[in-house]
Amino acid sequence: MPKATSPAQTPGLESGVDPAVSADTGVAAHSSAQTNTTDAEAGAPEQPKRTRRGRPGYDRETLINKATEVFVTRGYDGTSMDTVARELGITKSAIYHHVKSKEELLHLAINRGIDALDSAVEAESQRTGLNALERLRAAVHASVVILIEYHHSVTLLLRVRGNSAVEIEALDQRRKIDDKIRALVAEAIDEGGLRSDFTPGLVTRLLFGMVNSITEWYRPSYPVDPETIADAVTSMAFNGLEA
């Protein structure tokens, strides 16, 4: 195989603590105090309101990010929703506030990366004023940057094997991206920009074998910025392919 409209901001995930209940008194005690207030107390200055406390939660986007990391670290099949909740330090019901199932969470996790990849490849493929080889180079460069930006999501995408409807859909989306790249490769060969002794399919696999291998060794702490990595991959790949 080788970016997307942000959803409306959603409330933070709850951790099982009722936001209407004070950490010290509770609604029932507060109501009782109001019932027994004397006339003298009624004229007293209003006391400052206490800040209600509860454990921090996650909004939907952060939930997806964190869950994706857990899936990559532990493996999707070996990760239960209980495990995800425990790793995030929230209740399982807090997760279900935003998603219906582990499969939906996988779908959202994978789609963050694949939507970005597809958009980047499509945009570079359709650029005007460039020949096919230049558009192909731009698509490969953009794919490396996206892979690094959505590292966990793309890693998860590359690990699916079609074991569920969600994984089958992801594999189909990967194939569609492959087809776009293959078409660019074929066009570049026809224009004489790439050597013709390799088939478009082989060239596509070799190119994105190199790109996808970045998921195996790249870490956010790596001391080279994404643009430099993308420049290096593109240079190394095309210097050996250009006619």
Side-chain angles (χ1 to χ4, degrees), residues 56-69:
Y58 293 97
D59 60 27
R60 191 169 187 264
E61 290 303 300
T62 306
L63 165 65
I64 297 170
N65 284 335
K66 294 291 185 180
T68 305
E69 292 180 21

Side-chain angles (χ1 to χ4, degrees), residues 132-133 136-137 184-198 203 207 237-238 240-243:
L133 177 59
L136 177 60
R137 289 181 66 111
L184 267 179
V185 171
E187 189 177 350
I189 292 174
D190 290 342
E191 290 181 356
L194 290 181
R195 53 194 296 174
S196 59
D197 52 336
F198 299 139
V203 172
L207 280 174
F238 286 97
L241 287 171
E242 291 180 15

Side-chain angles (χ1 to χ4, degrees), residues 123-189:
E124 299 300 342
S125 299
Q126 301 302 321
R127 285 179 64 180
T128 59
L130 300 177
N131 61 37
L133 177 59
E134 291 169 330
R135 284 182 280 126
L136 177 60
R137 289 181 66 111
V140 172
H141 189 283
S143 296
V144 175
V145 174
I146 293 297
L147 184 149
I148 293 173
E149 182 178 355
Y150 295 89
H151 179 232
H152 288 105
S153 181
V154 177
T155 300
L156 197 56
L157 167 65
L158 296 174
R159 291 181 181 178
V160 300
R161 294 295 180 266
N163 296 328
S164 66
V166 170
E167 293 192 16
I168 291 172
E169 179 185 356
L171 289 175
D172 184 57
Q173 290 175 293
R174 278 178 58 181
R175 279 190 290 268
K176 289 178 179 177
I177 295 175
D178 286 345
D179 289 344
K180 292 178 182 180
I181 294 297
R182 189 179 294 107
L184 267 179
V185 171
E187 189 177 350
I189 292 174

Side-chain angles (χ1 to χ4, degrees), residues 68-80:
T68 305
E69 292 180 21
V70 176
F71 288 155
V72 167
T73 302
R74 293 178 170 271
Y76 173 75
D77 291 330
T79 303
S80 67

